[in-house]
Amino acid sequence: MRTLLSVSNKTGLVEFAKGLVALGFELVSTGGTHKTLQAAGLAVTYVSEVTGFPEILDGRVKTLHPRIHAGLLATRSPEHEAQLQALDITRIDLLCVNLYPFQETLARGASFEECLENIDIGGPAMLRAAAKNHEAVLPVCDPADYPEVLQALRTGVSSEFRRRLAYKAFAHTAVYDAAIADFLAFEKFPQTQLLSLERLPVELRYGENPHQEAALYALEGHRGPVLHARVLAGKPMGFNNYADADAAWSLVTELELPACVVVKHANPCGVALADDPKTAWERARDADTLSVFGGVVALNRPVDLETAVAMRGTFLEVLIAPEVSAEALDWFRSKKPDLRVLVAAPEDADSREFRPLVGGFLAQDRDLRRWEELHLSYVTERIPTPQELLDLKFAWYVGKHTRSNNVVLAKEGVTVGLGTGAVSRIWAAERALWNAGEKARGAVLASEAFFPFDDVVRAAAAAGVTAIVQPGGAKRDGEVIAACNELGVAMIFTGSRHFKH
């Protein structure tokens, strides 16, 4: 029996090769793999001795040869066996290949030329050949599989096991090719967009509802702050937990001061700024004491014991923060054992986002626009006070992360009323004003899209709202501004819409 080993990642290589030798395999290898095996004292044949042809073109050509590919592609049929014998070609029974580190080279910011040199040609060709012919050849591309491969060789290799290794080999080369295609793409939205998704080792009991099966995937080569968060305590995360935690974290990290966000069903229900995380939590909780029950909480500052204890008496599903102190974690484990406590991972995500449709995806840039990038227009006779301006900025960020149509009321760094997901702008405003009640008096209002009429202004002013921020750009902007001037309300146009569907 013969095995060909040619690996970039040499983790576990020597032990695997020793196991193969013990099972009676002859070792054949290339370049650095050959040197590693020789240095370990193993008898190994250099690939050029098999092909009768030297490695050429700086190693670009070494395994692209009929003696290699015939050994990989020959079935067990009498016809193929006869051809191998006639040409004196030895069958390859096991191929162990992993590819040049293209993704790693790209990730460290290497030059275009160096990335090109790290595009493997022979490796994918051999893997695909072995995977196609997996009933006769074992294709091995993952060092994590070495122990299981050796065990299967000792006890008997099933067709199911062979097929599983073939799947991994084709998936491995597909992901590799997708990364290369994305690297070579010359436009943001190319004609063919290849998305490689890696299933994460998280078992989801179900999807949005118990009758829906679900799984968790990450885009190959990217890290998400929630997808890759460290789960320190509590029950396993569920589908909706991930979705809500992602929404909460996306908003809280927009805010510069210590902040707390509580999310229910993908929408914020309480958001607050403060001088410290404990006070931020208390203010966000008190912003909507009814909706906070069963909520997902995100803080943009480390959680200490004082903050943890302040959460006593409130049922929460998830807490995510940049860090959680050892004392706070012990308290959560003791007093709130079901609470899922997460530490967010550093983000390394695509600047684009993809949203599924039946049969496809929508693709767009992520909405990363900051308040400081806006070209603000002060369109009314009265301009906002410094406190109103701070609250308008705060409310604008909350609206950016709230489902459209939305209206956000805020006062002194706390949301006091939220109208979310309405099919009419006035209905969103009426919901936010009703939610705020007396707290609307002296509050500011943010709308993620323009006002088609002056009805929102009039309803808000009647409730005591003093300043408004909105994109502007409606046909009746003049009527809206006139209503503000009539009622003494300050208004700012941002020129930037923030729909979120």
Side-chain angles (χ1 to χ4, degrees):
M1 293 186 296
R2 172 176 280 183
T3 179
L4 172 58
L5 304 103
S6 180
V7 296
S8 174
N9 179 359
K10 296 178 175 54
T11 302
L13 170 67
V14 171
E15 294 78 7
F16 184 50
K18 288 179 178 178
L20 293 173
V21 169
L23 289 165
F25 279 86
E26 172 201 0
L27 305 183
V28 178
S29 67
T30 63
T33 305
H34 181 266
K35 291 179 183 177
T36 300
L37 296 176
Q38 262 197 338
L42 291 167
V44 54
T45 301
Y46 198 64
V47 71
S48 293
E49 298 176 48
V50 174
T51 63
F53 204 90
E55 291 188 16
I56 61 171
L57 305 179
D58 301 317
R60 284 187 171 198
V61 178
K62 50 193 172 189
T63 59
L64 297 171
H65 194 280
R67 289 191 172 276
I68 298 300
H69 283 272
L72 291 170
L73 285 166
T75 68
R76 299 290 180 181
S77 71
E79 294 81 6
H80 282 195
E81 290 286 2
Q83 289 182 56
L84 291 181
Q85 289 181 17
L87 295 168
D88 191 27
I89 294 175
T90 301
R91 176 183 297 282
I92 297 172
D93 302 281
L94 185 149
L95 176 78
C96 179
V97 165
N98 53 62
L99 308 178
Y100 293 172
F102 174 79
Q103 291 99 321
E104 293 84 350
T105 304
L106 184 62
R108 63 177 170 80
S111 68
F112 183 84
E113 291 73 19
E114 186 178 354
C115 289
L116 281 182
E117 283 305 312
N118 275 277
I119 296 175
D120 202 327
I121 301 301
M126 290 192 292
L127 265 183
R128 289 173 61 83
K132 173 178 178 174
N133 197 31
H134 62 271
E135 286 297 339
V137 186
L138 275 182
V140 182
C141 62
D142 185 354
D145 290 334
Y146 293 170
E148 192 175 1
V149 170
L150 291 174
Q151 183 60 27
L153 289 168
R154 296 185 191 106
T155 59
V157 182
S158 67
S159 292
E160 180 185 356
F161 185 66
R162 288 179 177 276
R163 183 171 177 175
R164 182 153 60 87
L165 290 180
Y167 156 75
K168 289 193 73 169
F170 277 116
H172 188 50
T173 59
V175 169
Y176 195 76
D177 285 342
I180 294 167
D182 193 54
F183 163 68
L184 292 173
F186 54 87
E187 53 188 339
K188 184 185 296 183
F189 301 112
Q191 184 64 35
T192 300
Q193 176 66 63
L194 304 172
L195 297 180
S196 300
L197 302 176
E198 177 189 7
R199 184 171 177 176
L200 299 182
V202 173
E203 292 298 323
L204 301 180
R205 290 174 58 201
Y206 50 78
E208 284 184 292
N209 300 291
H211 62 276
Q212 296 170 270
E213 291 187 75
L216 185 67
Y217 287 87
L219 274 170
E220 180 73 23
H222 295 289
R223 289 179 62 79
V226 175
L227 279 179
H228 295 94
R230 288 185 289 135
V231 182
L232 304 181
K235 296 189 297 185
M237 290 281 285
F239 186 101
N240 294 329
N241 298 141
Y242 275 105
D244 285 349
D246 196 63
W249 186 253
S250 296
L251 171 51
V252 83
T253 51
E254 292 260 36
L255 305 173
E256 297 161 355
L257 295 174
C260 179
V261 174
V262 184
V263 161
K264 285 285 288 292
H265 303 296
N267 276 309
C269 60
V271 185
L273 306 174
D275 293 330
D276 59 83
K278 171 180 175 290
T279 307
W281 150 249
E282 291 171 336
R283 300 183 87 201
R285 175 199 63 199
D286 294 344
D288 189 340
T289 54
L290 183 64
S291 299
V292 73
F293 180 86
V296 169
V297 175
L299 289 140
N300 63 359
R301 296 292 192 274
V303 175
D304 55 16
L305 179 59
E306 186 180 18
T307 305
V309 172
M311 295 182 183
R312 184 196 298 272
T314 304
F315 170 63
L316 300 170
E317 292 279 4
V318 180
L319 167 70
I320 182 168
E323 287 295 341
V324 178
S325 74
E327 297 80 7
L329 182 58
D330 287 343
W331 187 90
F332 284 130
R333 286 172 172 166
S334 172
K335 304 299 183 182
K336 287 182 172 289
D338 290 339
L339 176 65
R340 302 160 180 90
V341 179
L342 279 61
V343 168
E347 180 178 327
D348 177 18
D350 199 322
S351 61
R352 300 165 298 173
E353 62 182 10
F354 301 89
R355 297 191 188 180
L357 301 176
V358 175
F361 290 87
L362 290 167
Q364 67 173 355
D365 291 328
R366 292 169 62 199
D367 185 358
L368 301 176
R369 180 163 291 173
R370 303 279 305 166
W371 176 266
E372 291 74 20
E373 300 172 39
L374 302 175
H375 300 289
L376 302 179
S377 298
Y378 297 83
V379 297
T380 51
E381 295 169 0
R382 189 173 82 78
I383 63 171
T385 66
Q387 182 60 55
E388 286 173 336
L389 192 58
L390 290 174
D391 284 334
L392 288 168
K393 175 182 175 180
F394 167 69
W396 180 85
Y397 274 119
V398 176
K400 177 181 171 183
H401 292 269
T402 302
R403 300 291 174 182
S404 300
N405 287 322
N406 76 67
V407 164
V408 177
L409 299 183
K411 182 164 58 177
E412 296 178 353
V414 182
T415 54
V416 295
L418 292 158
T420 65
V423 294
S424 166
R425 182 83 29 206
I426 186 60
W427 289 354
E430 288 171 348
R431 175 63 190 178
L433 293 166
W434 179 87
N435 187 237
E438 284 301 311
K439 293 179 182 177
R441 194 157 300 281
V444 304
L445 181 153
S447 172
E448 95 289 6
F450 63 60
F451 296 157
F453 308 102
D454 65 4
D455 49 1
V456 171
V457 170
R458 295 189 180 281
V465 170
T466 60
I468 295 174
V469 61
Q470 58 127 327
K475 290 182 179 180
R476 292 185 169 88
D477 274 350
E479 296 176 20
V480 172
I481 294 168
C484 286
N485 287 331
E486 174 192 336
L487 300 167
V489 175
M491 179 175 282
I492 298 175
F493 284 0
T494 65
S496 180
R497 193 182 72 185
H498 280 298
F499 272 170
K500 185 176 178 63
H501 291 92

